[in-house]
Amino acid sequence: MLAIRMRARRRKAVAFATAAVLTALAAPALAVTPATATTTGTTVATATAGSTTDYDSTYYKNAIGKTGTSLKSSLHTIISSQTKLSYSAVWDALKVTDQDPNNSNNVILLYSGISRSKSLNGGNVGNWNREHVWAKSHGDFGTATGPGTDIHHLRPEDVQVNSIRGNKDFDNGGSTVTNGGGSRTDSASFEPRDAVKGDVARMILYMAVRYEGTDGWPDLEPNGNVNNGSAPYHGRLSVLKQWNEQDPPDAFEKRRNQVIHDSYQHNRNPFIDHPEWVESIW
């Protein structure tokens, strides 16, 4: 009798196990969001395709649905309507646009990531100054009102780190920059720290759309080169596109875009609102 009961229990256990396996095989697999992947230890985040913003039906209404050169032309027209700042006014603007969210007395330096007192702006060691992400010599616009004072690409940076970057194009590789937050450089290029790679790409591409040679300034364009010198080009486009994908807009970058729009220039960087437009145009 005992042997019969034991055989019955074994049959029931086998039945339960079989049912569990069949249920698992029949269950649909959980969807995996292709938002992040890891490449050589670096987290890569894919920019959302077809994102929407509160400005699509107003500010961007004439660009929605367009692609390629048509999209670029429409965005140029839209963002060219702006209030221009003097170069001296840039100091005070950056103290607001780049304010440290954890310390209202400080700004966050672009490449180094350091939080530094707003009052330490100047040209001495230990100060921060106004970094032109699209290098001034790449178009010979200097600090004149226009591309030289457009705060969509002007950022606070340590004086020494700014000097090391100089007018180099952007690319991967090189030696670690002292106090550069993980940035790297070689004789021809500069690689910013991972957290702002996308920011740099979107600033460069904003400039390429905003300044098309129609308002007295050179036609700024990205290209596939480094060592562009004084030509109105900035590289390396393929790398900038990768950085736009790897480092989508974060809260700091989005807030900055909003502050510039609301309080200063009254125009927007469209690639912060729609990072997928980078691939559509280039």
Side-chain angles (χ1 to χ4, degrees), residues 27 34 39 51 53 59 63 74 79 82 98 117 124 140 171 179-180 192 204 212 218 247 252 255 270 279:
T39 305
S51 60
T53 78
Y59 189 75
S74 292
I79 66 177
Q82 72 183 88
D98 291 73
S117 173
N124 298 320
D140 194 30
D171 199 358
N179 296 323
I204 290 293
E212 292 276 53
D247 174 38
F252 187 92
R255 174 194 172 275
E279 192 65 35

Side-chain angles (χ1 to χ4, degrees), residues 15-132:
F16 279 134
T18 302
V21 170
L22 292 173
T23 300
L25 291 173
L30 292 176
V32 178
T33 302
T36 60
T38 301
T39 305
T40 62
T42 300
T43 299
V44 177
T46 303
T48 302
S51 60
T52 59
T53 78
D54 293 339
Y55 292 91
D56 287 2
S57 61
T58 53
Y59 189 75
Y60 294 123
K61 66 180 180 179
N62 292 329
I64 299 301
K66 296 179 179 179
T67 59
T69 56
S70 179
L71 174 59
K72 186 183 181 188
S73 177
S74 292
L75 292 176
H76 169 72
T77 299
I78 292 167
I79 66 177
S80 292
S81 177
Q82 72 183 88
T83 299
K84 298 180 176 66
L85 280 66
S86 68
Y87 196 48
S88 60
V90 169
W91 284 122
D92 289 333
L94 296 184
K95 293 176 183 179
V96 179
T97 59
D98 291 73
Q99 179 174 293
D100 182 345
N102 298 314
N103 185 345
S104 61
N105 295 315
N106 289 9
V107 291
I108 299 294
L109 308 187
L110 176 63
Y111 303 132
S112 60
I114 294 170
S115 178
R116 184 165 294 173
S117 173
K118 292 177 178 179
S119 65
L120 290 176
N121 60 297
N124 298 320
V125 174
N127 289 161
W128 61 270
N129 58 5
R130 296 158 291 187
E131 155 70 338
H132 289 78

Side-chain angles (χ1 to χ4, degrees), residues 44-48 196-203 205 237-249 253 269 271-272 274-280 282:
V44 177
T46 303
T48 302
V196 296
K197 280 183 164 70
D199 306 50
V200 167
R202 287 180 283 275
M203 285 185 279
L205 299 176
L237 177 58
S238 60
V239 172
L240 295 171
K241 289 172 63 178
Q242 290 172 5
W243 291 353
N244 175 61
E245 290 282 336
Q246 293 170 2
D247 174 38
E253 190 180 2
N269 181 334
F271 304 115
I272 296 174
H274 282 279
E276 75 277 5
W277 281 346
V278 170
E279 192 65 35
S280 181
W282 287 285

Side-chain angles (χ1 to χ4, degrees), residues 98-239:
D98 291 73
Q99 179 174 293
D100 182 345
N102 298 314
N103 185 345
S104 61
N105 295 315
N106 289 9
V107 291
I108 299 294
L109 308 187
L110 176 63
Y111 303 132
S112 60
I114 294 170
S115 178
R116 184 165 294 173
S117 173
K118 292 177 178 179
S119 65
L120 290 176
N121 60 297
N124 298 320
V125 174
N127 289 161
W128 61 270
N129 58 5
R130 296 158 291 187
E131 155 70 338
H132 289 78
V133 177
W134 186 290
K136 293 177 290 184
S137 64
H138 291 229
D140 194 30
F141 51 73
T143 61
T145 301
T149 64
D150 192 320
I151 55 176
H152 275 298
H153 85 116
L154 280 160
R155 300 293 292 268
E157 186 47 64
D158 174 78
V159 167
Q160 291 175 294
V161 175
N162 194 351
S163 178
I164 291 170
R165 188 267 158 140
N167 69 344
K168 295 174 183 176
D169 290 280
F170 293 104
D171 199 358
N172 292 313
S175 303
T176 301
V177 175
T178 302
N179 296 323
S183 300
R184 304 172 69 85
T185 192
D186 57 27
S187 61
S189 67
F190 190 88
E191 177 187 350
R193 61 191 176 102
D194 289 345
V196 296
K197 280 183 164 70
D199 306 50
V200 167
R202 287 180 283 275
M203 285 185 279
I204 290 293
L205 299 176
Y206 160 87
M207 293 292 283
V209 171
R210 169 60 187 87
Y211 299 99
E212 292 276 53
T214 58
D215 51 3
W217 302 108
D219 180 5
L220 306 182
E221 289 296 336
N223 67 7
N225 304 327
V226 294
N227 280 326
N228 277 299
S230 61
Y233 306 118
H234 235 302
R236 186 179 305 266
L237 177 58
S238 60
V239 172

